[in-house]
Amino acid sequence: MSASFARALEAAHDAAGSQNHPTSTLYVVATPIGNLADISLRALLVLQKVDVVACEDTRHTQQMLRAYGLDRPHAQLLALHQHNEAEASEAVIARLSQGERVAYVSDAGTPAISDPGARLVAAVRRAGYRVLPLPGASSVTTALSASGMTGENGFVFTGFLPSKSGERQQAVQALALESRAVVLLEAPHRIEALAAALAVLGDRQITVGRELTKQFEQIETLSAQDLPAWLAEKPERQRGEFALVLHDAPVAHNGGEGLRVLQLLLPELPLKTAVKLAADITGESKNALYEQALELKKG
């Protein structure tokens, strides 16, 4: 363990040591998606305090714990992944029934978001035990924060599209009809196929996050139709894990339709309610309609 992580463990005890950490509880712990420094002080304390760490890959997790000076005996690590989640969940519940604290971590990021963990959480809740989430790193929010999206229309997390060509094309056709931003994930060996499928979306913007938080991190925004050529330009652009943000579709303005709807609604409804309804009816920007509503009120 480096001196810096030793100091981090001391800081973790200072910051969270006095907090309550109930027994018979599952702690869902977010871990770094690439940069070991992206661990929270609270996560360090909980990973040290729990009786057992359930994890997607015991070897990967042991390596991570060892880096923080939290090396554990093999008996205190429990494999829980997509192929054994139901069976392993029963083992977790058995430990909770004995008053133990159990942490669950996936290989990277926040569990149960395109990673195992959701079935475990549901099973633990059904069994009547408490689940405490520890927030932290996530490729979804990391990619969104670097995309420049305003969030006005919200976003949809889709994760990995189907691997079969026909099913993937159908999924992309559905994305073409989605006006909100969409977050996608992809592995390096499938990124070319995904880019080719997304190219039909034309000039719709995509922010590509490659190797987020890692040494060779790369973030670029370009049109969907340009993505295949961008990937092909340099071989290293096809390496690493990918998080992509398909930007929300440009709003089609309806020649003053929003203003007309506002003029009908404002005399009958509060300003914010009228703006929301006008945006829902016309698909126009809520912020722009709000400014128009203020002008109408002044007039």
Side-chain angles (χ1 to χ4, degrees):
M1 176 178 59
S2 68
S4 60
F5 282 131
R7 291 194 298 272
L9 279 175
E10 292 177 7
H13 280 274
D14 291 341
S18 63
Q19 296 178 8
N20 183 35
H21 296 92
T23 58
S24 297
T25 298
L26 173 68
Y27 295 82
V28 182
V29 182
T31 56
I33 59 175
N35 190 320
L36 281 174
D38 292 336
I39 189 79
S40 75
L41 295 179
R42 188 176 170 213
L44 287 174
L45 183 67
V46 166
L47 289 173
Q48 184 178 48
K49 198 175 189 70
V50 295
D51 299 289
V52 64
V53 178
C55 49
E56 190 173 359
D57 185 320
T58 57
R59 291 169 298 180
H60 176 92
T61 297
Q62 183 68 282
Q63 184 178 4
M64 179 192 71
L65 292 173
R66 190 171 292 132
Y68 297 132
L70 300 174
D71 196 7
R72 282 180 173 269
H74 184 73
Q76 293 181 6
L77 296 175
L78 173 65
L80 190 152
H81 44 74
Q82 62 176 336
H83 302 297
N84 77 338
E85 191 164 357
E87 178 183 352
S89 294
E90 293 303 316
V92 168
I93 292 170
R95 288 179 174 270
L96 296 176
S97 71
Q98 297 170 15
E100 293 188 2
R101 301 180 182 94
V102 180
Y104 181 69
V105 299
S106 57
D107 285 348
T110 303
I113 301 179
S114 201
D115 280 339
R119 292 184 178 87
L120 168 64
V121 168
V124 168
R125 288 195 180 281
R126 283 196 303 270
Y129 295 103
R130 189 173 180 183
V131 177
L132 284 181
L134 274 66
S138 167
S139 59
V140 177
T141 52
T142 302
L144 278 169
S145 69
S147 69
M149 296 296 304
T150 63
E152 181 179 333
N153 296 324
F155 73 92
V156 179
F157 174 60
T158 298
F160 293 89
L161 293 188
S163 58
K164 294 183 179 179
S165 177
E167 294 176 1
R168 185 170 54 243
Q169 289 175 352
Q170 290 180 353
V172 171
Q173 290 172 4
L175 293 181
L177 301 175
E178 175 57 70
S179 61
R180 295 169 292 181
V182 181
V183 182
L184 303 169
L185 303 178
E186 194 50 274
H189 67 280
R190 299 197 329 178
I191 189 62
E192 282 187 291
L194 176 64
L198 292 174
V200 301
L201 300 179
D203 59 3
R204 190 159 173 183
Q205 295 293 288
I206 294 180
T207 294
V208 181
R210 185 179 72 85
E211 292 289 86
L212 291 173
T213 79
K214 300 177 185 178
Q215 181 179 359
F216 299 107
E217 175 183 77
Q218 189 172 20
I219 302 171
E220 297 287 341
T221 298
L222 63 165
S223 67
Q225 62 195 4
D226 293 334
L227 182 56
W230 181 83
L231 286 170
E233 189 176 352
K234 295 182 179 180
E236 62 267 23
R237 290 179 179 173
Q238 299 175 33
R239 299 172 187 156
E241 301 298 322
F242 291 83
L244 305 94
V245 179
L246 177 64
H247 289 215
D248 52 5
V251 175
H253 294 285
N254 298 320
E257 180 65 13
L259 178 60
R260 187 185 72 82
V261 173
L262 276 177
Q263 289 171 330
L264 294 172
L265 295 178
L266 280 172
E268 310 295 334
L269 297 169
L271 186 144
K272 288 186 178 180
T273 304
V275 168
K276 182 182 184 305
L277 286 174
D280 291 342
I281 292 168
T282 66
E284 295 187 28
S285 165
K286 188 183 296 183
N287 288 345
L289 288 171
Y290 186 79
E291 293 299 323
Q292 288 180 319
L294 291 176
E295 291 298 322
L296 287 173
K297 283 289 188 181
K298 289 178 183 178

